[in-house]
Amino acid sequence: MAKSDTRKTKAWEIKYAIWEKKEYNESIALVIDQIADEISMLIPGGPPLGFKPVILVNALYYDHRLYWPLNQEYYKIGLDVGHITFGRTTYQFTHELAHIYCDPRVINWFIEIICHVASFYFLDFLSEKWENQPHDSDYYKNFDVFNNFKNEILREAVDKVDLYQFQVSGDWLKKEIRKIHNERTLGNRIIYNIIAMEILPLFKEFKEGWQTLPYIGGSSVPPPPENLEDLTTNKEVLPDFDKLYQIVPEDLKPFVKKLLEKIWY
């Protein structure tokens, strides 16, 4: 990978190995750099395993993913995107970066939903930023691509899920989450998207809520290893919300309480 394909944001070093053409990597970097900068400001403490270079590769046949086994020297993310598909890039990259901020050694349904929330948050964030802060690049004129992709996801939910049953049941969210939790399996991404849209307003109103992400992985049962150099990974974990409330700092407890009242209590 050419040196010119490595870029540094405020907190992250991102290495672009998606395409051989430098201009393709540079076009996609337009959104990725802004996401990396903003999330580092929302979560100034950084991820549990610290800041490491992020290597981006083409995962054309696998959909987006964070590669396991993890590496001590870097994080590796695969994206299934085109070089100017900014909406899809925002959704996929943010999702995987949120996994890093939660703790990439563990995955559970709650982490997955939070990653979906992050994707929607940044689709809205970039849409507003590009519309309200014009840039000399022609790409910025296409701020509607973010909302268009978000609407595409929501249309998929309408097509494949009977949303009426949710609309007539005020407690559908908690019932659906309990069902997911009791089945002890990672669920349907469409349902995750629907739940994420219900949670999204909380993270918009209380932006300090993003600082809870580095504690989410640690509140899993079983938890990730205490030794941060131990990169043992586990998909067979469940969230423990009592533990989450206990381990977050005092200033984050009001947000966690609001979130739990929304999805769990």
Side-chain angles (χ1 to χ4, degrees), residues 91-234:
Y91 184 87
Q92 293 189 7
F93 175 71
T94 304
H95 182 105
E96 301 307 333
L97 191 59
H99 271 294
I100 291 173
Y101 272 94
C102 288
D103 195 316
R105 296 174 295 176
V106 292
I107 298 178
N108 59 48
W109 63 263
F110 181 55
I111 292 173
E112 277 297 310
I113 289 174
I114 293 300
C115 292
H116 284 254
V117 174
S119 292
F120 285 128
Y121 181 91
F122 275 91
L123 285 170
D124 289 344
F125 169 79
L126 287 178
S127 177
E128 294 170 7
K129 181 177 181 180
W130 284 29
E131 180 178 13
N132 298 324
Q133 298 180 16
H135 192 274
D136 56 3
S137 170
D138 287 340
Y139 286 131
Y140 280 78
K141 299 176 183 178
N142 300 317
F143 59 87
D144 57 341
V145 298
F146 303 105
N147 273 333
N148 289 343
F149 187 77
K150 180 179 176 181
N151 290 334
E152 180 182 328
I153 295 172
L154 297 179
R155 281 195 297 270
E156 180 184 30
V158 172
D159 290 341
K160 296 184 178 180
V161 178
D162 181 9
L163 294 181
Y164 179 75
Q165 65 175 317
F166 298 146
Q167 294 170 351
V168 299
S169 175
D171 60 350
W172 75 265
L173 181 63
K174 293 178 181 179
K175 286 183 177 179
E176 190 65 34
I177 287 175
R178 287 286 183 178
K179 179 181 177 183
I180 293 170
H181 184 80
N182 292 335
E183 289 177 351
R184 301 178 65 87
T185 59
L186 295 180
N188 185 303
R189 66 180 175 83
I190 296 176
I191 296 296
Y192 283 173
N193 279 330
I194 295 171
I195 296 172
M197 287 299 297
E198 292 289 322
I199 298 173
L200 177 61
L202 273 178
F203 282 88
K204 286 189 172 183
E205 183 178 359
F206 306 100
K207 291 188 178 181
E208 68 273 15
W210 291 107
Q211 296 178 45
T212 63
L213 266 65
Y215 300 94
I216 290 176
S219 65
S220 299
V221 179
E226 291 186 11
N227 180 0
L228 298 182
E229 294 185 358
D230 185 344
L231 300 182
T232 303
T233 50
N234 189 356

Side-chain angles (χ1 to χ4, degrees), residues 212 244-245 248 252-261:
T212 63
L244 176 62
Y245 187 80
V248 296
L252 295 179
K253 289 186 187 298
F255 172 80
V256 172
K257 185 177 180 180
K258 289 179 181 294
L259 177 59
L260 296 183
E261 287 173 347

